[in-house]
Amino acid sequence: EVEDMLKVPEKLFNREFEEVEIGISTMSFFPKDNLEKEQIGYGYDQGTAKPTWFGKEFVVIGKDLNQGDPIIAKVDETEIPVFTMFNNDKASVEKVADSFEQYMGVLGMIKKTDLYRRDKINDLLDEIEAIVPENSLYYWEELINSAYDYLVD
């Protein structure tokens, strides 16, 4: 059992989908029953199960199955902002959505877009740019553009 894990709001489990395939990436969300176990190695030490550098307000709620990059929710804020981290490098932690709803909404938009068409991708990126935190557009662009490259090759 992980030590001092904060209570995770129920709305994180009331999802429209459990996985989203975006080209080569699959964003997968942990079921409630596995959430605590999935913290080990990210926000909690593997040997001691004590919080590490993340802080207990950050909870890993899923991951990119291809890259292993975690999807992280900051559960001590009402809106529950969402972050990610690249290559297990804590210096790369980046806010990618102002709220869990925004994050899931953008994934839903991506899911409905024909990623084989560059014009549809450009329109989608314009829509995303208008709603996500300013510094997170790079994350979404990379995710979508790598999907396009994978799909059209």
Side-chain angles (χ1 to χ4, degrees), residues 100-123:
F100 179 69
E101 286 84 2
Q102 184 182 75
Y103 184 80
M104 295 303 281
V106 171
L107 287 181
M109 290 164 60
I110 294 169
K111 212 174 150 178
K112 293 174 186 164
T113 301
D114 180 356
L115 297 178
Y116 286 93
R117 293 187 49 194
R118 178 48 70 188
D119 62 321
K120 296 291 184 190
I121 288 174
N122 291 339
D123 292 345

Side-chain angles (χ1 to χ4, degrees), residues 2-66:
V2 297
E3 189 177 288
D4 295 332
M5 187 170 146
L6 289 184
K7 181 162 175 37
V8 176
E10 203 56 42
K11 69 179 176 179
L12 291 180
F13 304 107
N14 299 330
R15 305 182 277 256
E16 190 178 323
F17 37 78
E18 298 302 312
E19 284 189 355
V20 178
E21 204 171 298
I22 304 169
I24 198 167
S25 296
T26 300
M27 309 314 253
S28 178
F29 298 93
F30 303 136
K32 190 176 188 174
D33 298 351
N34 290 359
L35 192 66
E36 193 170 305
K37 176 182 77 128
E38 296 290 351
Q39 303 312 298
I40 304 297
Y42 288 110
Y44 290 80
D45 182 79
Q46 213 148 7
T48 66
K50 291 184 180 195
T52 57
W53 57 269
F54 266 175
K56 62 185 179 182
E57 69 274 15
F58 292 95
V59 176
V60 178
I61 58 170
K63 66 182 173 185
D64 177 334
L65 295 179
N66 183 49

Side-chain angles (χ1 to χ4, degrees), residues 82-139:
V82 177
F83 297 77
T84 194
M85 175 177 72
F86 305 101
N87 304 316
N88 215 18
D89 174 12
K90 66 183 178 184
S92 73
V93 172
E94 177 181 326
K95 183 178 179 182
V96 294
D98 290 322
S99 68
F100 179 69
E101 286 84 2
Q102 184 182 75
Y103 184 80
M104 295 303 281
V106 171
L107 287 181
M109 290 164 60
I110 294 169
K111 212 174 150 178
K112 293 174 186 164
T113 301
D114 180 356
L115 297 178
Y116 286 93
R117 293 187 49 194
R118 178 48 70 188
D119 62 321
K120 296 291 184 190
I121 288 174
N122 291 339
D123 292 345
L124 174 64
L125 287 171
D126 287 344
E127 284 182 61
I128 291 171
E129 183 176 19
I131 60 173
V132 298
E134 194 175 313
N135 61 341
S136 73
L137 188 60
Y138 175 77
Y139 166 79

